[in-house]
C-alpha cells in the first residue's frame, strides 16, 4: 500500500507539472505500424525536458511497444500522450536501449501504468550506479519538471546476445554486443518492417558522445552487428531517421578511424597530445559539435586503447 501511495502521489504532482510548458512530442510513421519521435540534437534543457533523443513506438494487435521511456516522469507521460494520438492501444512493453537517462529514467511512469519494462542485463550495473547521478544532474536543468521521477530499474533483464520476442504477434529482436556509448546499449530490430532502432549505437548529423563508461571497442562490435542486419530504415539514437549508408558515414567510419589512428599511436609510443592533434577530422566536419567534442573523443579513445 505504501508503494501504491507513493506512485499515486507522484502521478498527482506530475499532473500539476504537466500543465506547465511542455515539449512537443510527435510520433511520425517510418513503416507500417512503426513510428519514431526525433528529438533535438542539442543538449538537455528545461524546454526540451531531456527528450533530446529519438524514441520509438511499435503498434501491435495486443498493445504498443515503446522504445525508451524518457528522462523523467513527465517526459514519460508526454511520450504516452503522443502515443495516444497514433493508436488507442495501451503501451504494454517498454525496452530501454541503454543506460543514458533519457533511455530509462521514465520507467516509473510506465510501471505505474502496468507496462513491462525491459533492458539487457549488461545495463544493470551501470543503471544502478548512475541512476542517482542522472537525477542529480537533471535537477538543476529540469527543476520542477523532474517531479515524481525516481530510479526505477527494468523489471526484466534480457541475458542473450540476441533475444527474439513475440510482442502482440510482432517479431521483435533485441541485439546486444556489449554496449558502446553505455555498457547496456542494445538495438531493437523489426525484421518484417526492415526497421532497426539503434539507441545510442548510432548517431547521425551530430558527433558521438563518449563518457567514462563508453567503450569504442564494444561500440564498433555493436555497429558491425547493425551492418549484418542490413536494415532498410535506421532510427538512430540521435539525428534524423536515416539509412545504413549514412550511419556508416557518421558513426561507423568515425569509430573505425578513431580506433585505427589511436591504436597506431599507442603502438608507436606517440604521446596523447600529438595523437589527438594529428587525427584527421576532415571527413567528420559536417557533424554538429565536432569542433568541441571530437578532441574529447580522440582523447578518450587513446586512453581506452592504452588499457586494451
Amino acid at each position: 500500500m505504501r508503494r501504491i501511495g507513493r506512485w499515486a502521489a507522484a502521478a498527482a504532482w506530475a499532473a500539476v507539472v504537466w500543465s506547465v510548458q511542455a515539449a512537443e512530442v510527435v510520433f511520425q510513421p517510418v513503416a507500417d505500424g512503426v513510428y519514431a519521435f526525433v528529438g533535438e540534437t542539442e543538449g538537455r534543457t528545461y524546454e526540451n525536458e531531456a527528450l533530446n533523443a529519438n524514441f520509438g513506438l511499435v503498434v501491435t494487435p495486443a498493445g504498443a511497444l515503446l522504445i525508451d521511456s524518457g528522462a523523467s516522469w513527465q517526459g514519460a507521460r508526454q511520450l504516452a500522450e503522443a502515443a495516444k494520438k497514433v493508436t488507442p492501444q495501451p503501451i504494454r512493453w517498454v525496452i530501454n536501449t541503454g543506460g543514458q537517462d533519457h533511455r530509462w529514467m521514465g520507467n516509473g511512469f510506465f510501471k505505474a501504468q502496468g507496462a513491462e519494462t525491459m533492458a539487457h542485463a549488461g545495463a544493470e550495473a551501470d543503471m544502478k550506479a548512475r541512476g542517482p547521478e542522472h537525477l542529480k544532474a537533471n535537477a538543476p536543468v529540469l527543476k520542477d519538471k523532474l517531479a515524481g521521477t525516481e530510479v526505477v530499474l527494468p523489471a526484466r533483464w534480457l541475458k542473450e546476445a540476441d533475444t527474439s520476442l513475440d510482442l502482440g504477434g510482432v517479431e521483435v529482436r533485441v541485439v546486444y554486443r556489449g554496449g558502446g556509448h553505455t555498457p547496456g546499449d542494445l538495438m531493437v530490430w523489426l525484421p518484417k518492417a526492415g526497421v532497426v532502432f539503434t539507441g545510442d549505437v548510432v548517431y547521425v548529423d551530430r558527433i558521438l558522445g563518449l563518457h567514462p563508461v563508453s567503450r569504442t571497442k564494444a561500440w564498433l562490435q555493436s555497429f558491425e552487428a547493425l551492418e549484418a542486419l542490413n536494415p532498410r530504415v535506421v532510427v538512430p539514437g540521435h539525428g534524423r531517421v536515416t539509412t545504413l549508408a549514412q550511419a556508416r558515414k557518421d558513426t561507423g567510419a568515425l569509430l573505425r578511424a578513431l580506433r585505427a589512428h589511436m591504436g597506431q599511436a599507442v603502438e608507436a609510443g606517440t604521446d596523447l597530445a600529438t595523437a589527438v592533434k594529428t587525427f584527421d577530422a576532415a571527413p567528420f566536419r559536417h557533424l554538429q559539435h565536432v569542433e568541441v567534442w571530437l578532441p574529447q573523443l580522440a582523447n578518450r579513445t587513446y586512453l581506452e586503447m592504452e588499457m586494451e
Side-chain angles (χ1 to χ4, degrees), residues 107-245:
N107 281 357
F109 175 87
F110 292 104
K111 179 179 179 179
Q113 307 303 309
E116 179 184 26
T117 53
M118 295 175 266
H120 196 273
E124 185 173 4
D126 180 48
M127 287 178 168
K128 287 179 177 178
R130 292 199 300 142
E133 293 179 18
H134 292 321
L135 284 176
K136 185 177 180 180
N138 281 335
V141 178
L142 298 184
K143 302 175 184 178
D144 55 307
K145 293 182 180 181
L146 195 61
T149 308
E150 297 180 350
V151 177
V152 177
L153 296 170
R156 180 179 177 186
W157 299 106
L158 306 177
K159 308 283 188 176
E160 305 299 325
D162 296 281
T163 304
S164 184
L165 303 169
D166 181 341
L167 301 181
V170 174
E171 182 185 7
V172 177
R173 296 184 193 170
V174 176
V175 179
Y176 177 76
R177 294 295 184 273
H181 180 69
T182 72
D185 282 0
L186 59 79
M187 296 179 288
V188 179
W189 168 232
L190 306 171
K192 185 176 180 179
V195 177
V196 63
F197 290 86
T198 71
D200 289 329
V201 171
V202 174
Y203 287 49
V204 299
D205 303 324
R206 58 158 281 191
I207 197 75
L208 307 181
L210 276 185
H211 300 287
V213 299
S214 303
R215 295 294 180 268
T216 59
K217 183 176 182 179
W219 200 333
L220 188 52
Q221 291 170 345
S222 296
F223 192 84
E224 289 168 349
L226 167 67
E227 292 178 307
L229 296 176
N230 193 29
R232 182 178 62 84
V233 178
V234 174
V235 183
H238 297 272
R240 61 199 151 116
V241 176
T242 191
T243 62
L244 179 57

Side-chain angles (χ1 to χ4, degrees), residues 27-39:
F27 283 104
Q28 300 287 354
V30 296
D32 186 24
V34 183
Y35 304 82
F37 164 58
V38 176

Side-chain angles (χ1 to χ4, degrees), residues 54-109:
N54 298 345
F55 302 83
L57 182 71
V58 182
V59 179
T60 85
L65 161 66
L66 181 70
I67 299 167
D68 293 321
S69 63
S72 67
W73 179 286
Q74 177 165 316
R77 178 172 173 171
Q78 287 181 240
L79 292 167
E81 291 295 322
K84 289 179 182 178
K85 297 177 182 178
V86 170
T87 177
Q89 292 281 16
I91 293 173
R92 289 188 54 195
W93 311 278
V94 178
I95 296 178
N96 305 140
T97 64
Q100 202 69 12
D101 56 333
H102 36 223
R103 304 299 173 197
W104 69 283
M105 292 296 289
N107 281 357
F109 175 87

